[in-house]
Every structure is written in C-alpha cells, then in structure tokens.
Amino acid sequence: MKWIKRIFCFLLLLGLYFLPSFIFKSDAEFYNNLNGPKLPSIVFPIIWTILYTLLAVHIIINFENKKKYNKSDFFRWFIFLLINYIISSSFSYFFFVKQNLFLGYVVTLFTLLTISLTCIESLLLNKKSSILLIPYILWGIIASIFGILLYLNN
C-alpha cells in the first residue's frame, strides 16, 4: 500500500510541475527567431522531465520523514519550495506569452535563488535528499547564463 501511495504522490507532483507548461504554451517560432546562443528546443522537455522527477522524489522523501524533522526547518524548506514553484511556473508566461526577455531572465535568477535556498534548507532535513536538487541548481546556472545572453543580444 505504501508504494501505491508513493506512486500516486509522484504522479500528482509531476502533474503539478508540468501544469504551467500546459497553461502557458511555449512559442517555438519566437524562441527560434531570437539572436544569440540557444539550446535546441528538444533539450527543454528532457531536462525538465529529469528535474521534475528528481524534485518529486525529493519532496516525497522529505514528506515521508516529516515527523523526524524540526518543524520550523521543515516549514522553511516547504515555503522555499512553494515560492520556487510559483516563480518557476511564471517563466513561460513572461518569456513566451509576454515575450519579455528581461522578466524571463529575472524569473530565471529568482528560480535559481529559491531552489538554492530550498537545497540549503533541505540540508537541515535530509542531506541525501538535498543531493537530488543539485541538477536543478546547475540547470539554473546554465539557464541564467543563456537568459542574460539572449536578453543582451535582442
């Protein structure tokens, strides 16, 4: 029964993380017409699937061990995680819908900041689960570099 609950939670979390991409469709034509360095469009669904999978596992681990953690540490971790979700979910809106490269870049920076803070808070809870956030941080660094270059070249 425990595995069924985990699978259900995992799928629910994946659905929540992918929801903004269904609400705010990416505009491949807009992206392809930008000047400057760009990653191939196929990279993004692959990267985000990996990152969302790692995030879902991270969240499930921390919630399953919630009773072992200091309540204020867990609360701070959860708040940073929630803020990260809200901010990162807004990227497609600002970048693709509004086609605002500057706000897209700012959202990318705040996403990097909040996932870094989430990882730091997670270290207080579960060092092993916090390792699952490192690829997201690395992606945030890469995305920030590409974001500023796209902004400056357009």
Side-chain angles (χ1 to χ4, degrees):
M1 193 62 150
K2 194 173 188 177
W3 282 100
I4 293 172
K5 182 180 175 184
R6 284 180 180 158
I7 291 169
F8 175 77
C9 288
F10 177 79
L11 293 174
L12 179 66
L13 287 166
L14 280 184
L16 286 172
Y17 274 104
F18 277 112
L19 182 63
S21 64
F22 294 113
I23 295 171
F24 308 115
K25 297 287 185 192
S26 62
D27 185 346
E29 184 179 343
F30 166 72
Y31 179 74
N32 291 329
N33 287 329
L34 293 173
N35 297 319
K38 295 182 294 259
L39 295 170
S41 296
I42 190 65
V43 169
F44 298 106
I46 295 168
I47 293 289
W48 284 111
T49 300
I50 293 168
L51 295 178
Y52 292 158
T53 300
L54 293 172
L55 269 167
V57 172
H58 170 79
I59 292 166
I60 290 168
I61 289 170
N62 282 345
F63 267 94
E64 284 185 349
N65 293 295
K66 179 181 175 182
K67 291 180 183 174
K68 297 178 188 177
Y69 304 145
N70 176 292
K71 286 183 181 184
S72 63
D73 292 343
F74 184 83
F75 181 74
R76 275 193 317 274
W77 165 80
F78 182 73
I79 292 300
F80 283 129
L81 184 71
L82 189 60
I83 292 168
N84 173 263
Y85 175 77
I86 293 166
I87 291 172
S88 67
S89 296
S90 70
F91 175 80
S92 292
Y93 173 75
F94 290 115
F95 191 82
F96 290 111
V97 175
K98 292 296 183 183
Q99 297 184 352
N100 188 320
L101 299 177
F102 178 72
L103 286 179
Y105 172 64
V106 169
V107 168
T108 303
L109 283 179
F110 277 106
T111 300
L112 173 59
L113 174 67
T114 56
I115 199 59
S116 298
L117 292 171
T118 303
C119 186
I120 291 167
E121 287 300 326
S122 179
L123 284 168
L124 298 173
L125 305 177
N126 187 320
K127 289 183 174 100
K128 289 181 182 177
S129 80
S130 63
I131 291 169
L132 296 171
L133 299 180
I134 292 173
Y136 195 172
I137 293 170
L138 295 174
W139 176 250
I141 294 168
I142 293 167
S144 296
I145 292 168
F146 276 95
I148 192 64
L149 291 174
L150 286 175
Y151 173 68
L152 293 173
N153 284 298
N154 291 279

